[in-house]
Each structure stands twice: as structure tokens, then as C-alpha cells.
Amino acid sequence: MFIRSFIAASVAVVAAQPALAQTSTSGVDTSGDRVMIGVGAANVPDYEGADTNQWTPAALVNGRVSGIDFWTRGTQLYVDVIPDQSGPGTKFSAGPIAGVRLNRTNKVDNLQVRALGKVDTAYELGGFVGISRTGVITSDYDTLSARVAVVADVAGAYDSYVITPQISYLTPLSRTTAVGLSASADYVGKGYGRTYFSVTPQGSVASGLRTYDISDSGFKNVSFGIYGTQSITGDLLHGLGVGGGVFYSRMLGKYKDSPLVSDVGSADQWTVGAGLTYTF
């Protein structure tokens, strides 16, 4: 359960966005090293495309050491190897990504999907590039970020790749309060669709689901989120805080038409979560 909970990591303590680490409010020093850890709980889909959710614990970490930012996004760790200075301006980011994908690696609630069997844990490696601008709309301290991430399965679980364009906007309302918006999409290779959304003839016999095959790549889903954080002690970059958010994802095209989604699941995927953070 704890390992599976990393699916909800970026939701349970949404204060831990990399943009926040690059954002200042008047009187707050953002030039030094810092690390933020968070724990909480989130209500997440039982599997990708499921029509039921379950509560699970969650955890994440992010920070900056010697000008290098790092953060978790779901089950992935990002490391920005381009040092940046805090304050208004345009910043570029790039670096490696490492993570795991845990979709259907444990028992799912739906008996027909469960009959298809578990999927091996996917170990992913890749990288990202991005650009952000601090001082955009509301003040010198709001941040608009755009990023493209690419990861590939290196352990043969789905033997393919995932490309994720992302955009986010974060604005501090004060030294103790911040809110943000995010949007992203996943473009996946044919191995991804075949592993997580296809039903073989043998699987159809075992599960009662109709046979279904995805033989090419495409956009799997689009996602949108709104989140906020409030300091309890200190400010946004020091001390104890609380965060929460709501994220919506819509399955697309051939992935939405899979029997795992259209017959026994749902194209609409919701995740909500809240948690405590501590920054030092």
C-alpha cells in the first residue's frame, strides 16, 4: 500500500512544486539550500481508467541544494541540473528523470480487470527540458512554467515510452499562502497501450471482457489540476504547512474505448488529496 501510494505523491502535498522553490515573496530569502518533505492522504483511481477510487497514504520530497532543484512528480524524481538564481526572470531547466510505474501491479477491485492478471512494475528512465518565467501576471513572484518530459521503460514491463508536455502557473498570495494551476497530457507508445489497455483472446476468456488491441501510439489522456498551500508556522519556504488539491484526467481516443475503461471503468479520472509539509 505504501509503495502504491506514490501515485498520489504530487497531490497530497501540492506545495511541493518546483516553481515554488524558485518563487519568492517580499522579505523571504530564496537563495539558500532547502528541503521539503510531505506526507498526507489521497483518493486515487484503483487503476488507470477505473471507475472506483480508494484512499491511500502519500509522500513526496523536493528541494534545492547548491542551486540544483529536485522534486517528485507522482512516482518520478526530477533533477534540474541547470543552476538558477531566485527572483524575477526567465529560467531554463533540464535534467534526468527516474521513476516507477505501478499501474495494476497490485490487486484491483474490479473482478474482470483482476482476472487479466497483474502487470510487472515498470522502471523508467528519461529526461526533461523546460522554461519558466517568474514575474508574469500578479507580481514579481508568480511563475509560469512549461516542460516536456520523456521516459522509457527499461525493465520490459511495457517496453515503450511516455512523452508528457506540462504547463503550470503558481502565484503566492502572501508570504504564507500560494495557489496554482496545472495542465498536462501523456503521449504513449504502442507498447504502453498494448500492456495496459489491450485485451488478448486469452484475457477475454479469463475476464469476460471483449478482445481489444492497440497497435499504435497516441495521446492517452489530458489532465488538469488546482492546488493550494498554507503555512502554519514560518512562511512558504520555511516551517510547517498544509496543502491540498483536486486533479482531473480525461482518457482519450483508443484508450478511452478500451473495455477496461468504456465497459467496466470510466474515462473521467479524479484525484483529491491533502497533507502536511515541513520545509527546512
Side-chain angles (χ1 to χ4, degrees):
M1 176 68 78
F2 180 77
I3 294 176
R4 185 180 178 279
S5 73
F6 279 96
I7 296 173
S10 61
V11 180
V13 278
V14 294
Q17 297 293 323
L20 184 56
Q22 298 174 2
T23 302
S24 173
T25 52
S26 179
V28 178
D29 179 17
T30 64
S31 61
D33 297 346
R34 75 183 59 82
V35 175
M36 190 279 293
I37 57 175
V39 293
N43 188 252
V44 301
D46 190 40
Y47 64 89
E48 190 173 23
D51 63 354
T52 58
N53 281 35
Q54 65 175 276
W55 285 98
T56 180
L60 66 74
V61 62
N62 88 17
R64 170 181 288 184
V65 176
S66 300
I68 302 298
D69 291 317
F70 57 91
W71 66 93
T72 52
R73 182 180 187 270
T75 57
Q76 297 172 334
L77 173 66
Y78 286 58
V79 179
D80 179 7
V81 299
I82 300 179
D84 284 324
Q85 298 297 319
S86 60
T90 300
K91 304 175 180 67
F92 296 94
S93 60
I97 303 171
V100 296
R101 191 170 298 268
L102 304 171
N103 186 30
R104 288 171 51 199
T105 57
N106 290 316
K107 184 173 69 175
V108 300
D109 290 338
N110 186 278
L111 295 178
Q112 289 180 281
V113 176
R114 188 189 304 178
L116 295 175
K118 296 179 181 180
V119 178
D120 291 339
T121 299
Y123 296 90
E124 297 172 327
L125 294 176
F128 70 95
V129 295
I131 185 172
S132 64
R133 175 74 182 179
T134 301
V136 182
I137 301 173
T138 61
S139 68
D140 287 340
Y141 313 115
D142 63 337
T143 300
L144 179 65
S145 302
R147 186 181 304 116
V148 177
V150 181
V151 296
D153 171 28
V154 296
Y158 64 86
D159 196 25
S160 192
Y161 61 87
V162 181
I163 302 173
T164 306
Q166 312 161 22
I167 187 168
S168 63
Y169 174 75
L170 181 82
T171 180
L173 303 180
S174 69
R175 291 179 58 175
T176 59
T177 307
V179 295
L181 302 169
S182 66
S184 64
D186 286 329
Y187 185 94
V188 300
K190 61 182 179 181
Y192 190 103
R194 184 168 54 244
T195 300
Y196 296 114
F197 294 94
S198 292
V199 180
T200 65
Q202 295 86 351
S204 178
V205 171
S207 67
L209 297 171
R210 56 189 167 88
T211 58
Y212 190 77
D213 182 53
I214 296 179
S215 58
D216 55 0
S217 57
F219 277 100
K220 171 178 64 70
N221 67 290
V222 293
S223 301
F224 306 93
I226 182 170
Y227 46 86
T229 181
Q230 174 66 49
S231 296
I232 299 174
T233 65
D235 53 47
L236 288 173
L237 300 175
H238 303 87
L240 185 67
V242 61
V246 178
F247 288 74
Y248 169 75
S249 180
R250 175 72 179 180
M251 308 299 298
L252 301 175
K254 67 198 80 173
Y255 309 96
K256 175 177 67 70
D257 294 336
S258 165
L260 283 78
V261 181
S262 64
D263 294 355
V264 296
S266 174
D268 300 306
Q269 305 279 281
W270 290 91
T271 300
V272 297
L276 294 173
T277 66
Y278 188 77
T279 304
F280 56 91

